[in-house]
Amino acid sequence: MTQKNDIENLISLFSKLPGLGQRSARRIVLHLLQEPEIRLHNLIEMLSITKSKIVTCEECYNLDIISPCNICSDHSRDQSVITIVESVADLWAMERAKIFDGTYHILGGALSASKNMLPNDLRLPKLIERCETHNIKEVILATNATIEGQTTAFFIMEQLKDLDLYISRIASGIPIGGELDYIDEGTLTAAMNSRKQFDN
Ligand SMILES: [Zn+2]
C-alpha cells in the first residue's frame, strides 16, 4: 500500500467537510496552494484565531467568542422569550432571517432511536433552570418538522407544562421532513409568524 502524500491527505480532509465532495475539495486545495503565502496563510491564521477564541455559551449552548454569548447578553433583545432549536445551524438560520429578537436554547439534536439520542442527551436541565430563574414568559418550539423533531417538541412540552409559560410551536410553512437550516428565509418567517399554542 502506498502512503498518501500530504496534498492528497489535505484533499481528503476537505472532502469530509459537510457539503464538499472530492471534486470541490480538490478545487479548494488547488486554490489555496496556488498562493500559499497569502491564501493558506490567511486560512491558517483565521482557523487558529477561531480555535483559541470560540466558546460554548453557558446559557444557550450557542457558539461565540464570549459566554454568555452575544445574544444572551444583548439586553435590547427580549430576554423573556426562548426559541428552542436543535442545532447552532438552526439558530444561524433564524438569525439570518431576522425574524426573532429573543433568546435561544440549543438542544444538541432531537430524540432519535436510530441516532441513540435519548432524553438525557438533550440539554433540558439548563433550559428548565433558565425558565425557572430568568423570568421566562414564552417558549417557542422550533425543532425540525421531522418525526424526531415533532417527538422532541412534544417531549419538551411535557417537561415544561407545569411551569407558568406560554408554549408555542412553529407551524405552517415548514414542510414535513423539512430541516430549518435548508429552508428559505421567507418560509421560515411565515412559520414563525403563524406559530400556534402547543398542547395535546
Ligand atoms: Zn447564549
PDB file of all heavy atoms in Angstrom, residues 57 59-62 68-69 72, ligand 1:
ATOM      1  N   CYS A  57     -21.706  28.888  24.739  1.00  0.00           N
ATOM      2  CA  CYS A  57     -22.422  29.745  25.694  1.00  0.00           C
ATOM      3  C   CYS A  57     -22.945  28.919  26.864  1.00  0.00           C
ATOM      4  O   CYS A  57     -23.575  27.885  26.670  1.00  0.00           O
ATOM      5  CB  CYS A  57     -23.580  30.451  24.992  1.00  0.00           C
ATOM      6  SG  CYS A  57     -24.597  31.415  26.126  1.00  0.00           S
ATOM      7  N   GLU A  59     -25.312  29.590  28.795  1.00  0.00           N
ATOM      8  CA  GLU A  59     -26.768  29.676  28.928  1.00  0.00           C
ATOM      9  C   GLU A  59     -27.481  28.863  27.842  1.00  0.00           C
ATOM     10  O   GLU A  59     -28.334  28.043  28.137  1.00  0.00           O
ATOM     11  CB  GLU A  59     -27.225  31.146  28.822  1.00  0.00           C
ATOM     12  CG  GLU A  59     -26.792  32.023  29.973  1.00  0.00           C
ATOM     13  CD  GLU A  59     -27.493  31.643  31.271  1.00  0.00           C
ATOM     14  OE1 GLU A  59     -28.667  31.280  31.232  1.00  0.00           O
ATOM     15  OE2 GLU A  59     -26.844  31.712  32.331  1.00  0.00           O
ATOM     16  N   CYS A  60     -27.152  29.163  26.568  1.00  0.00           N
ATOM     17  CA  CYS A  60     -27.959  28.622  25.464  1.00  0.00           C
ATOM     18  C   CYS A  60     -27.224  27.599  24.606  1.00  0.00           C
ATOM     19  O   CYS A  60     -27.816  27.016  23.719  1.00  0.00           O
ATOM     20  CB  CYS A  60     -28.464  29.764  24.590  1.00  0.00           C
ATOM     21  SG  CYS A  60     -27.180  30.519  23.569  1.00  0.00           S
ATOM     22  N   TYR A  61     -25.925  27.423  24.820  1.00  0.00           N
ATOM     23  CA  TYR A  61     -25.092  26.477  24.051  1.00  0.00           C
ATOM     24  C   TYR A  61     -24.801  26.941  22.630  1.00  0.00           C
ATOM     25  O   TYR A  61     -24.411  26.154  21.774  1.00  0.00           O
ATOM     26  CB  TYR A  61     -25.693  25.050  24.039  1.00  0.00           C
ATOM     27  CG  TYR A  61     -25.809  24.453  25.417  1.00  0.00           C
ATOM     28  CD1 TYR A  61     -26.974  24.588  26.165  1.00  0.00           C
ATOM     29  CD2 TYR A  61     -24.742  23.772  25.983  1.00  0.00           C
ATOM     30  CE1 TYR A  61     -27.087  24.064  27.444  1.00  0.00           C
ATOM     31  CE2 TYR A  61     -24.838  23.230  27.259  1.00  0.00           C
ATOM     32  CZ  TYR A  61     -26.011  23.378  27.987  1.00  0.00           C
ATOM     33  OH  TYR A  61     -26.114  22.852  29.244  1.00  0.00           O
ATOM     34  N   ASN A  62     -24.993  28.241  22.375  1.00  0.00           N
ATOM     35  CA  ASN A  62     -24.567  28.825  21.102  1.00  0.00           C
ATOM     36  C   ASN A  62     -23.034  28.839  21.062  1.00  0.00           C
ATOM     37  O   ASN A  62     -22.379  28.777  22.104  1.00  0.00           O
ATOM     38  CB  ASN A  62     -25.101  30.267  21.036  1.00  0.00           C
ATOM     39  CG  ASN A  62     -24.868  30.919  19.692  1.00  0.00           C
ATOM     40  OD1 ASN A  62     -24.574  30.252  18.704  1.00  0.00           O
ATOM     41  ND2 ASN A  62     -25.001  32.235  19.671  1.00  0.00           N
ATOM     42  N   PRO A  68     -21.764  34.452  28.764  1.00  0.00           N
ATOM     43  CA  PRO A  68     -22.901  34.274  27.862  1.00  0.00           C
ATOM     44  C   PRO A  68     -22.648  34.919  26.493  1.00  0.00           C
ATOM     45  O   PRO A  68     -21.961  35.933  26.415  1.00  0.00           O
ATOM     46  CB  PRO A  68     -24.056  34.958  28.595  1.00  0.00           C
ATOM     47  CG  PRO A  68     -23.661  34.961  30.031  1.00  0.00           C
ATOM     48  CD  PRO A  68     -22.171  35.064  30.034  1.00  0.00           C
ATOM     49  N   CYS A  69     -23.248  34.317  25.474  1.00  0.00           N
ATOM     50  CA  CYS A  69     -22.986  34.741  24.099  1.00  0.00           C
ATOM     51  C   CYS A  69     -23.575  36.131  23.828  1.00  0.00           C
ATOM     52  O   CYS A  69     -24.270  36.708  24.654  1.00  0.00           O
ATOM     53  CB  CYS A  69     -23.569  33.719  23.131  1.00  0.00           C
ATOM     54  SG  CYS A  69     -25.369  33.705  23.070  1.00  0.00           S
ATOM     55  N   CYS A  72     -27.399  36.136  24.332  1.00  0.00           N
ATOM     56  CA  CYS A  72     -27.838  36.068  25.738  1.00  0.00           C
ATOM     57  C   CYS A  72     -27.488  37.339  26.514  1.00  0.00           C
ATOM     58  O   CYS A  72     -28.145  37.656  27.504  1.00  0.00           O
ATOM     59  CB  CYS A  72     -27.216  34.866  26.425  1.00  0.00           C
ATOM     60  SG  CYS A  72     -27.891  33.296  25.861  1.00  0.00           S
TER      61      CYS A  72
HETATM   62 ZN    ZN B   1     -26.202  32.247  24.698  1.00  0.00          ZN
END
